[in-house]
Amino acid sequence: EETIIEHLVQDMKCDKEQLTVTCIPPFEELKGKGFPYNYLRRVALDAAVTSHIVYLDMDYVPSSDLEESLYSPAVLKEFTHDNKLALVVAAFEVFGESSNITVPRSRKINGESQVTAYPFKFFDRNGQHLMKKSTRFHAPTNFGRWMTENTNLVYPLECVTKDFEPYIVVQKCKHLPPPQDQFISGHDKVSWIRHLVLSGYAFKSIAGPFCIHLPHARIAGKDFHDYLKRSKTKRAKVQTIKKQFYKHVAAASGKNVSARMHTCGTGKLNSLLNEYIKVATKINEQ
């Protein structure tokens, strides 16, 4: 088993000094019922030995300037003055294979060998048609502002949605809520971010660095998610778990904690989308 892990680490080209490997038992009891996304996130969070953590799923790659940006004076100042800051890393995705990926930010996109990256869950698989219903997951990042502000400028998010699921940088401390294991069939990432919102975290983003979702083969949990979409009973169960969890969070927080983020209305979401489209169109015309 150790030999297999060593080979995997070598294939990943990771620095062994910066890697913690945790072996967990198989989840046979979850077959056909869900996938332990949040349990795995919690194991990773527990293994972190740094003062702050960068939360990315394993199918995301950070931009080469992310680490440098996190050590910039602007970011260090923000975290020094607010231990309940969640710094959002803008998330993009691509719909093709290429070693030359362009993230639109104040420059023209050209070249046949390039693959354009789009804000995550904004467009269909061809990158042509805006899918307004799914933009609520990342629209509060304010991609229009991200694309036009000076690099490393930290700007506050105007609002968040109840389905907001960004990738973030946070301080690892005793008041950081852990991901909840009971979310095995949907709402897993959203529940953690929502927990942060209800626990009084402020959300800001940083212009310049980003993370990008790369195409990959289908994973184990996706078959269950497809089934979940077709099953009213399973969807109802997820809703029940959500209600119970948020009721518990509200009771535990009491009057000592007040949310610092407003919820985006439909008008504000449309405004954020229109601003992004306007800026992206202008860049492509340069």
Side-chain angles (χ1 to χ4, degrees), residues 79-123:
F79 277 113
T80 299
H81 288 88
D82 191 352
N83 62 7
K84 281 194 171 183
L85 169 64
L87 188 67
V88 174
V89 180
F92 290 82
E93 66 180 329
V94 294
F95 302 126
E97 295 183 4
S98 175
S99 58
N100 188 5
I101 298 172
T102 296
V103 174
R105 179 173 156 79
S106 71
R107 67 172 178 268
K108 187 176 181 181
I109 304 166
N110 53 30
E112 291 183 356
S113 62
Q114 291 181 328
V115 173
T116 301
Y118 300 91
F120 192 59
K121 291 188 177 180
F122 267 37
F123 292 89

Side-chain angles (χ1 to χ4, degrees), residues 223-241:
D223 290 330
F224 181 78
H225 281 297
D226 288 346
Y227 166 67
L228 183 66
K229 292 177 182 178
R230 300 190 301 268
S231 171
K232 291 183 178 180
T233 303
K234 290 293 183 181
R235 290 200 304 270
K237 185 176 181 180
V238 172
Q239 291 299 320
T240 299
I241 294 174

Side-chain angles (χ1 to χ4, degrees), residues 171-235:
Q171 181 179 352
K172 185 184 177 183
C173 52
K174 62 181 180 181
H175 58 243
L176 177 65
Q180 298 298 305
D181 295 0
Q182 66 266 39
F183 290 98
I184 60 172
S185 53
H187 207 70
D188 44 279
K189 185 164 49 180
V190 172
S191 65
W192 187 49
I193 297 300
R194 193 65 188 161
H195 198 171
L196 295 184
V197 171
L198 297 175
S199 298
Y201 275 71
F203 284 72
K204 299 182 180 182
S205 190
I206 178 172
F210 58 91
C211 61
I212 190 163
H213 178 265
L214 299 179
H216 57 76
R218 194 175 186 84
I219 61 176
K222 292 300 181 182
D223 290 330
F224 181 78
H225 281 297
D226 288 346
Y227 166 67
L228 183 66
K229 292 177 182 178
R230 300 190 301 268
S231 171
K232 291 183 178 180
T233 303
K234 290 293 183 181
R235 290 200 304 270

